[in-house]
Amino acid sequence: MGVVHGKARLGKPYGVEQALARAGERPACWPAFPSRPTMRLVAARLFEQLTCGFAGRWSRFELLNQLVEELAVRPRAIVVDEAQRLTSECIEFLRYLHDHPRTRFGLILVGGDGCWEVLSREPMLRSRIFRRVNVTPLTGEQVCELMGTFHPIYAGVEAEVLLLVESLRARQPA
């Protein structure tokens, strides 16, 4: 179980995606939740994404049983972006699923401002986090070093140009 957090627009989901790809993980499950979801909604969305099925009118307890069965089949990764939106009950639900003796999945919680504050309030979760990564903005020197390896078009480009591109585009809202 891991947490990747930091300010908005630093590429946290992209970084997680790249790390999973380098680790040879099949595409991860990325369920999305609105602010303050219910446990039943978390269970239903997760079930629907994992099985490409419809959760129907099952209760959260029936969904829990189905999720345990599905998550016991093979190892996989589940990434929850905007994890700071989760309630204590939803965090506990995910922790329970992760700790279940039959399930086999890595749980990565990704979030922006306030994410670590929300997650670290949960002692049962905090004690199980294997790795916490606080993402911070790159320095100008790091940008210049990285951009040359990011794409061949940037190799050999002067630092001033790379920093101009970074300041004009990377910090702009999409």
Side-chain angles (χ1 to χ4, degrees), residues 4-5 10-11 14 18 25-26 30 34 36 54-55 59 67-68 82 84 105 113-114 131 136 145 149 161 167-168:
V4 178
H5 66 97
L10 293 179
Y14 176 78
Q18 294 301 305
E25 282 293 320
R26 296 177 196 142
W30 290 71
R36 304 196 50 76
F54 180 61
S59 73
L67 284 168
V68 167
E82 302 297 341
Q84 71 274 6
F105 71 98
D113 294 330
R131 171 99 9 111
T136 58
E145 184 181 318
T149 63
V161 175
S167 71
L168 293 175

Side-chain angles (χ1 to χ4, degrees), residues 73-171:
V73 173
R74 65 178 168 82
R76 64 183 88 203
I78 296 174
V79 182
V80 177
D81 197 7
E82 302 297 341
Q84 71 274 6
R85 293 178 179 173
L86 298 173
T87 63
S88 290
E89 293 81 19
C90 295
I91 292 167
E92 174 58 21
F93 177 79
L94 291 171
R95 191 222 37 94
Y96 174 83
L97 267 179
H98 182 267
D99 283 359
H100 195 284
R102 294 191 53 219
T103 62
R104 302 166 53 204
F105 71 98
L107 177 62
I108 304 169
L109 302 166
V110 180
D113 294 330
C115 180
W116 181 245
E117 292 75 16
V118 168
L119 298 177
S120 66
R121 277 188 235 133
E122 307 298 328
M124 295 293 285
L125 177 75
R126 191 176 59 239
S127 67
R128 286 163 173 80
I129 293 174
F130 176 74
R131 171 99 9 111
R132 173 185 168 211
V133 178
N134 182 14
V135 179
T136 58
L138 298 175
T139 65
E141 185 177 309
Q142 290 170 324
V143 167
C144 293
E145 184 181 318
L146 177 65
M147 290 305 288
T149 63
F150 184 67
H151 192 280
I153 195 171
Y154 299 114
V157 173
E158 293 178 16
E160 297 82 35
V161 175
L162 292 175
L163 292 173
L164 176 64
V165 169
E166 193 266 347
S167 71
L168 293 175
R169 191 66 209 130
R171 304 284 183 220

